[in-house]
Amino acid sequence: MGPKTRILDATMLVFRRHGFRRSSIEQVAEAAGLTRQALYHHFESKEALFRAVIARVHETALAAEEAAIGAAEKAGRGFADILVAGMTARMQAMIASFDGSPHIEELYSEHLVHGRDLYQKYAALYAERLVAAIARIARKQKLVLPQGLSPAEFARLVEMAVHGSKSQHPAMQPAEAFLKDMAMMVRTLCAGAVPKSQEQPASRAGTRERSSRSKAGARP
């Protein structure tokens, strides 16, 4: 285990125990078995440590989501099952990062203060990968998305469903209820996707109309 990994493991432990505001560089150094000077060689401040933790949480969540989607696709699961598996894995990874901490709400709120740019960066990455997954699954399973939506539009609705579930369960707690509500909303969205052979004329007309509007908007 390298020094940075050891420091981040110690940082997670300290933040879980004390929250962000009441944690200190000294506490992290002690937990990592380092002097304060040695820790400063890798991270210049408590805020830098917190940002590194945030990035680690998101990278772990991205990897978990990608692995879950890949496994569900390989198993031949349906559209809704695949998306629910991916979103659930992402959220479970995030929840596990600070699970059991009495300061969980503070930690989630502070990450928007000290890492808003990271939040925006990873939100874009989640969206990009979700769009790619939706497009790939729809193509392989020969599905038409509800209302003729594009993969990007559908992915946006899925993310909105996740945020809606978060608003009902602050800090994604209780976790079981949050994950259940999120899965239900994602499945409801996915229920409108049908095989191309069953596509209704109205849906095709809606797709043509959307395409025409897009082309018209692209004209100088």
Side-chain angles (χ1 to χ4, degrees):
M1 181 188 297
K4 282 195 174 183
T5 299
R6 189 164 83 245
I7 290 170
L8 288 180
D9 286 347
T11 302
M12 290 288 289
L13 179 65
V14 170
F15 285 153
R16 277 180 173 176
R17 286 179 177 173
H18 306 289
F20 174 78
R21 301 185 192 100
R22 299 177 69 178
S23 295
S24 67
I25 286 284
E26 289 78 10
Q27 289 169 329
V28 174
E30 181 180 354
L34 299 171
T35 65
R36 185 171 66 173
Q37 289 70 26
L39 191 149
Y40 275 128
H41 178 72
H42 298 282
F43 295 95
E44 62 185 13
S45 65
K46 183 174 76 170
E47 288 73 20
L49 280 167
F50 193 52
R51 286 175 59 83
V53 164
I54 293 169
R56 179 197 245 194
V57 168
H58 283 299
E59 288 293 339
T60 300
L62 276 169
E65 180 178 25
E66 190 169 355
I69 286 177
E73 284 189 77
K74 186 175 180 180
R77 308 287 293 276
F79 183 51
D81 288 340
I82 295 172
L83 291 191
V84 167
M87 303 306 291
T88 299
R90 183 208 297 184
M91 295 301 121
Q92 284 178 328
M94 288 187 173
I95 291 167
S97 299
F98 300 116
D99 189 38
S101 171
H103 308 284
I104 189 166
E105 290 192 28
E106 178 202 333
L107 292 168
Y108 279 124
S109 64
E110 287 292 333
H111 101 276
L112 293 176
V113 175
H114 300 286
R116 183 171 292 276
D117 60 319
L118 290 175
Y119 174 83
Q120 293 169 340
K121 169 189 172 181
Y122 283 101
L125 282 173
Y126 289 127
E128 178 184 313
R129 295 193 186 186
L130 184 58
V131 170
I134 290 169
R136 181 178 67 250
I137 299 163
R139 183 177 64 253
K140 287 182 178 179
Q141 299 189 4
K142 298 180 180 179
L143 296 173
V144 175
L145 298 176
Q147 305 299 316
L149 293 170
S150 69
E153 291 167 330
F154 191 78
R156 179 171 172 270
L157 293 181
V158 171
E159 295 290 359
M160 287 173 65
V162 174
H163 288 298
S165 299
K166 285 182 180 178
S167 70
Q168 295 297 309
H169 303 282
M172 297 181 281
Q173 297 296 318
E176 185 176 350
F178 162 71
L179 292 171
K180 181 179 178 181
D181 284 353
M182 181 195 71
M184 187 183 305
M185 293 181 75
V186 173
R187 287 186 184 282
T188 300
L189 286 172
C190 292
V194 297
K196 288 185 177 180
S197 60
Q198 297 177 19
E199 183 183 9
Q200 298 299 313
S203 297
R204 292 196 293 269
T207 303
R208 288 196 297 271
E209 182 181 345
R210 294 165 66 84
S211 178
S212 298
R213 286 201 303 268
S214 298
K215 289 179 181 177
R219 293 181 189 136

